[in-house]
């Protein structure tokens, strides 16, 4: 494995490069680490050799590390970091002079595809070739690919992608074909390219309506052609011709593209039986509520610990806030008073008090604060489940799937197995809810407000989720 480190004067610039890179990467064949900016609130622009060293160490579980930098002093910081590193790690580090944005993307695709260090460096260094060719500039040292067109088997495809084989679908093609033991060449109108190279694919300048032909020869030629055909039929991972296939639309949260089977998840809410209680039962109902709230508080503390360990302390604070709301003496006193005054059971009293709080949030002008009503209902559901002794069923996922739900609670998101979730579509929800914020932090493609997603899909149905556009395309 070859990992990549980006060194930049600007944390925002580095984050932008990372966001682009995540759009290109599939699988876990390469790790990316950032060393950007300095810890100075008033003057955040700069580079720090210690940060560079720590970034390199964080991805040192590999055979080689390629470091890309933006400006001259970033190189100085990287060179200083090499002197600070353990010699064994430093010996595996290569500083690369390629352009930061284009070079990082090209290097990541090559590394994620299992390319050698030489191939990764060559892709990074040649990352400007497509731009130079499009602008009519001379490309120093460019050599045409010379593979015999008459050799091997071939398969042709007319590209239907609206923007042709731009960076993202080209990256999918390069990574897919990297797996096969075969000699491969992609041809368009007599011009040839290595389909395992993002740069070579860009030089072909494949537009919508162009016909491309993959020629394969070798041990796994048939497998390579079959993989090419399957990827092409899915338009290299992009949504195409929405008028020909049914699709649903919503609001993007975490932007990515994924495809796989749908798994519909039914919404669970504890069944509440309303009943009046006698004067002698008031203390018993108050005690029932007191015990249920303590169990709920224990649950929330465990969720905060899990979130802090798996995602981060800022995200764990979400459940810390839940604990503060639940443990509010005034709120609890109001519920106990309601039980005594109206002689209702604990469930009715507690539900009424929390519904009043949720309604207050929904009435707020600020959209971010309105989204907090979901947190209140998350707490309510959990405490009612303890009162009713109806455990909240976990979301069981037996194979990687796109989850379709009416709504998803923040406490449910952090319990998901990220490896099994290809994406999430909610018929309701808000892009500013803590559910959306947690999903985004976990890197889960997500779309909210997708009206009809529960009624127009079914479990097992194949679909492609383009979370960048908020579109779920369904197979027939």
């Amino acid at each position: 494995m070859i990992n990549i480190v980006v060194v930049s004067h600007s944390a925002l610039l580095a984050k932008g490069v990372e966001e682009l890179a995540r759009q290109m990467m599939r699988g876990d064949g390469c790790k990316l680490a950032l060393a950007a900016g300095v810890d100075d609130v008033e003057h955040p622009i700069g580079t720090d050799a210690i940060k560079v060293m720590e970034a390199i160490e964080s991805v040192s579980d590999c055979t080689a590390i390629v470091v890309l930098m933006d400006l001259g002093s970033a190189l100085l910081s990287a060179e200083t970091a090499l002197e600070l590193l353990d010699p064994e790690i430093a010996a595996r580090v290569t500083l690369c002079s390629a352009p930061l944005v284009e070079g990082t993307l090209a290097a990541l695709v090559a590394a994620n595809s299992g390319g050698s260090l030489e191939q990764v460096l060559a892709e990074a260094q040649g990352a400007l070739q497509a731009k130079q060719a499009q602008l009519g500039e001379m490309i120093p040292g460019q050599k045409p690919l010379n593979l015999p067109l008459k050799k091997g088997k071939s398969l042709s495809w007319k590209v239907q992608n609206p923007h042709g084989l731009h960076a993202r679908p080209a990256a999918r093609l390069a990574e897919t074909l990297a797996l096969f033991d075969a000699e491969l060449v992609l041809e368009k109108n007599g011009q040839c390219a290595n389909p395992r190279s993002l740069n070579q694919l860009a030089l072909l300048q494949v537009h919508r309506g162009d016909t491309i032909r993959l020629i394969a020869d070798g041990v796994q030629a048939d497998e390579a052609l079959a993989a090419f055909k399957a990827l092409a039929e899915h338009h290299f991972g992009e949504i195409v011709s929405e008028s020909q296939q049914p699709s649903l639309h919503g609001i993007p949260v975490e932007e990515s593209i994924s495809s796989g089977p749908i798994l519909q998840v039914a919404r669970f809410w504890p069944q509440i039986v309303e009943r009046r209680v006698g004067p002698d039962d008031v203390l018993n109902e108050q005690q029932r509520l007191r015990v249920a709230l303590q169990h709920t508080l224990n649950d929330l503390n465990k969720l905060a610990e899990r979130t802090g360990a798996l995602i981060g302390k800022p995200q764990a604070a979400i459940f810390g806030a839940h604990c503060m709301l639940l443990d509010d003496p005034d709120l609890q006193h109001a519920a106990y008073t309601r039980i005594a005054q109206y002689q209702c059971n604990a469930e009715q009293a507690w539900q009424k008090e929390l519904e009043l709080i949720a309604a207050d949030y929904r009435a707020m002008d600020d959209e971010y604060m309105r989204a907090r009503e979901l947190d209140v209902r998350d707490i309510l559901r959990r405490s009612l489940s303890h009162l009713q002794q109806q455990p909240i069923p976990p979301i069981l996922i037996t194979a990687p799937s796109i989850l379709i739900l009416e709504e998803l609670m923040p406490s449910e998101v952090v319990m998901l197995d990220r490896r099994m979730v290809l994406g999430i579509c909610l018929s309701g929800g808000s892009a500013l809810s803590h559910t959306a914020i947690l999903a985004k932090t976990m890197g889960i493609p997500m779309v909210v407000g997708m009206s009809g997603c529960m009624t127009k899909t079914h479990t097992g149905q194949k679909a492609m989720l383009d979370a960048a556009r908020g579109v779920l395309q369904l197979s027939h």
Side-chain angles (χ1 to χ4, degrees):
M1 177 188 286
I2 297 170
N3 293 332
I4 310 294
V5 172
V6 168
V7 181
S8 173
H9 284 66
S10 168
L12 290 175
L13 174 59
K15 277 291 185 183
V17 173
E18 181 184 35
E19 184 178 355
L20 284 171
R22 297 299 178 197
Q23 294 288 318
M24 303 290 184
M25 293 176 65
R26 303 285 296 181
D28 55 0
C30 173
K31 294 179 182 178
L32 174 65
L34 307 181
V38 293
D39 297 328
D40 184 335
V41 176
E42 294 184 0
H43 305 92
I45 301 299
T47 57
D48 182 343
I50 300 298
K51 275 191 173 184
V52 178
M53 179 190 72
E54 292 173 346
I56 293 172
E57 289 176 336
S58 72
V59 294
S60 61
D61 55 339
C62 58
T63 57
I65 302 142
V66 174
V67 179
L68 295 101
M69 303 137 290
D70 56 4
L71 302 174
S73 56
L75 172 57
L76 293 177
S77 294
E79 290 176 332
T80 303
L82 291 183
E83 297 174 2
L84 299 173
L85 281 166
D86 181 289
E88 189 277 328
I89 297 177
R92 291 186 275 121
V93 177
T94 300
L95 304 184
C96 180
S97 63
L100 185 69
V101 178
E102 296 91 339
T104 299
L105 301 185
L108 274 167
V109 172
N112 201 49
S113 302
S116 65
L117 176 60
E118 292 74 18
Q119 290 170 326
V120 171
L121 291 173
E123 282 291 289
Q125 296 286 9
L128 288 179
Q129 288 184 359
K131 189 185 295 183
Q132 290 171 321
Q134 194 166 354
L135 293 174
E137 298 177 0
M138 294 294 294
I139 305 176
Q142 182 188 7
K143 297 180 180 179
L145 187 65
N146 186 21
L147 293 178
L149 292 179
K150 295 182 180 180
K151 185 179 180 182
K153 303 175 181 179
S154 68
L155 180 69
S156 296
W157 177 261
K158 186 175 181 178
V159 175
Q160 301 168 39
N161 300 54
H163 303 291
L165 285 189
H166 62 92
R168 189 163 56 195
R172 290 290 303 275
L173 178 59
E175 290 180 358
T176 298
L177 296 180
L179 304 172
F180 301 102
D181 179 13
E183 185 181 22
L184 302 173
V185 60
L186 193 70
E187 180 262 340
K188 186 199 86 170
N189 296 333
Q191 183 182 359
C192 299
N194 176 3
R196 295 184 173 107
S197 165
L198 187 64
N199 296 332
Q200 288 278 324
L201 289 172
L203 283 169
L204 273 186
Q205 298 185 39
V206 178
H207 302 291
R208 183 176 188 173
D210 288 344
T211 297
I212 55 177
R213 181 165 64 110
L214 181 68
I215 305 164
D217 184 64
V219 177
Q220 293 186 305
D222 289 335
E223 291 89 339
L225 290 171
F228 172 74
K229 183 174 185 291
L231 187 62
E233 288 175 346
H234 282 86
H235 307 294
F236 307 98
E238 291 201 309
I239 304 292
V240 173
S241 300
E242 294 179 20
S243 61
Q244 298 177 11
Q245 294 181 316
S247 60
L248 301 168
H249 300 254
I251 303 169
V253 175
E254 170 65 11
E255 301 182 357
S256 183
I257 292 180
S258 56
S259 59
I262 280 174
L263 175 62
Q264 279 206 4
V265 181
R267 179 169 59 178
F268 169 80
W269 195 268
Q271 296 297 315
I272 304 302
V273 178
E274 297 185 1
R275 59 182 176 84
R276 291 184 59 81
V277 300
D280 295 339
D281 292 325
V282 167
L283 289 178
N284 181 56
E285 289 301 309
Q286 291 174 337
Q287 179 61 19
R288 283 183 61 234
L289 180 56
R290 191 173 290 109
V291 171
L293 296 186
Q294 186 57 55
H295 285 316
T296 305
L297 192 62
N298 293 340
D299 287 351
L300 294 174
N301 284 323
K302 290 177 182 177
L303 282 167
E305 291 175 6
R306 174 184 173 86
T307 305
L310 297 181
I311 307 175
K313 290 183 179 179
Q315 290 73 32
I318 291 172
F319 298 105
H322 287 195
C323 290
M324 291 177 63
L325 173 62
L326 184 72
D327 213 21
D328 180 0
D330 291 339
L331 173 61
Q332 294 183 10
H333 178 72
Y336 298 145
T337 300
R338 182 176 290 274
I339 292 172
Q341 183 176 353
Y342 294 98
Q343 293 188 349
C344 59
N345 61 4
E347 289 88 342
Q348 288 173 268
W350 184 243
Q351 180 166 289
K352 182 62 175 179
E353 293 300 329
L354 262 68
E355 284 180 346
L356 289 172
I357 296 174
D360 287 342
Y361 276 115
R362 286 193 294 270
M364 290 184 177
D365 294 331
D366 184 88
E367 187 177 357
Y368 179 84
M369 294 304 297
R370 286 201 302 272
R372 301 288 76 78
E373 68 90 19
L374 183 66
D375 298 71
V376 179
R377 290 194 293 110
D378 194 1
I379 296 169
L380 175 60
R381 186 180 73 150
R382 186 167 294 276
S383 49
L384 288 178
S385 73
H386 282 297
L387 274 170
Q388 291 286 296
Q389 297 184 359
Q390 299 175 20
I392 298 173
I395 297 176
L396 300 178
I397 312 173
T398 58
S401 305
I402 298 172
L403 305 186
I404 307 292
L405 311 95
E406 291 183 22
E407 68 176 0
L408 187 65
M409 299 293 180
S411 61
E412 292 177 304
V413 178
V414 296
M415 298 304 295
L416 293 173
D417 183 347
R418 175 66 185 88
R419 298 167 299 176
M420 303 293 278
V421 182
L422 300 175
I424 298 173
C425 296
L426 304 181
S427 61
S430 164
L432 297 177
S433 70
H434 280 143
T435 291
I437 291 169
L438 288 167
K440 186 177 181 67
T441 306
M442 294 169 68
I444 299 177
M446 186 175 184
V447 177
V448 300
M450 184 172 281
S451 178
C453 65
M454 290 295 292
T455 58
K456 296 178 182 179
T457 65
H458 57 82
T459 294
Q461 184 177 14
K462 300 292 184 182
M464 181 178 294
L465 176 63
D466 184 349
R469 296 168 56 214
V471 177
L472 180 69
Q473 183 169 300
L474 308 173
S475 62
H476 291 293

